[in-house]
Amino acid sequence: MRIENEKRKEETKLILRVYKPADCKALTELFYETVHSVNTKDYTKEQVDAWADGNVDLEKWNQSFLEHYTVIAEEENGITGFGDISDTGYLDRLYVHPDWQRQGVATALCDRLEACCGASRLYAHASITALPFFQGRGYQMVQERQVERKGILLTNFLVEKEPRL
């Protein structure tokens, strides 16, 4: 599969574009699918079910995406990932489709989000799975946290860095 992914990456042009409300449902589906496949190496079934139960309030997600700078990564067959950042530098969501992991999608999204933010501090709540990615981008772990979702505890990490000027 790695050879297929590398071949596909070479043959496919990744496009980054700004979010539009018509994307919302597809992004919630990508979020669910990613959490339930990629994050299961670090979290239990009970934890991923609490994190992403498939019952997303589309109006709230759309409003959040519109309030933040939200970027979509796509290729000819559809959306491969998305991320959003607030004007305070909070990188809220960053998800890449399971078939597009380790293909540079998250890096491209983060590069765009971080460059467009303009905040004096960049920070995120990184999952166990995402922590190495953020550390590789120069984020420092500030705090290990336990967050509760539907009565279930999940570990994540507050990470931060100063943006490049």
Side-chain angles (χ1 to χ4, degrees):
M1 179 133 165
R2 183 145 179 97
I3 293 171
E4 287 177 17
N5 284 346
E6 288 174 5
K7 188 175 181 183
R8 177 172 40 185
K9 182 180 172 188
E10 290 172 12
E11 295 172 359
T12 303
K13 182 177 179 178
L14 187 68
I15 297 166
L16 298 181
R17 64 171 175 80
V18 175
Y19 169 81
K20 54 188 180 223
D23 298 320
C24 193
K25 184 164 177 26
L27 299 190
T28 64
E29 292 167 358
L30 187 150
F31 161 73
Y32 180 89
E33 189 174 346
T34 300
V35 170
H36 281 266
S37 59
V38 175
N39 296 99
T40 55
K41 72 178 190 170
D42 297 305
Y43 295 91
T44 67
K45 179 175 180 352
E46 184 179 51
Q47 288 173 317
V48 296
D49 286 345
W51 180 356
D53 68 2
N55 296 314
V56 173
D57 184 330
L58 290 174
E59 282 186 36
K60 284 184 181 177
W61 273 53
N62 181 56
Q63 187 62 38
S64 176
F65 286 140
L66 292 171
E67 289 171 359
H68 295 167
Y69 178 60
T70 304
V71 178
I72 308 297
E74 65 183 356
E75 50 84 40
E76 63 191 32
N77 294 316
I79 295 173
T80 59
F82 70 94
D84 64 307
I85 195 166
S86 73
D87 58 5
T88 64
Y90 177 56
L91 203 158
D92 190 1
R93 288 163 285 221
L94 179 65
Y95 291 93
V96 174
H97 189 281
D99 293 343
W100 285 88
Q101 296 288 311
R102 301 186 182 281
Q103 302 299 311
V105 176
T107 297
L109 287 165
C110 272
D111 287 349
R112 175 73 57 90
L113 293 169
E114 291 173 0
C116 293
C117 176
S120 61
R121 168 185 173 238
L122 299 169
Y123 64 106
H125 293 118
S127 66
I128 296 167
T129 313
L131 182 61
F133 170 79
F134 281 103
Q135 289 174 321
R137 293 186 62 78
Y139 284 77
Q140 301 296 314
M141 184 187 24
V142 175
Q143 177 185 24
E144 180 175 331
R145 305 169 357 122
Q146 295 292 314
V147 293
E148 185 179 328
R149 297 284 184 267
K150 299 183 174 146
I152 306 297
L153 291 178
L154 294 96
T155 299
N156 74 13
F157 304 90
L158 173 61
V159 296
E160 67 179 25
K161 78 172 184 175
E162 291 183 19
R164 292 186 197 138
L165 300 177

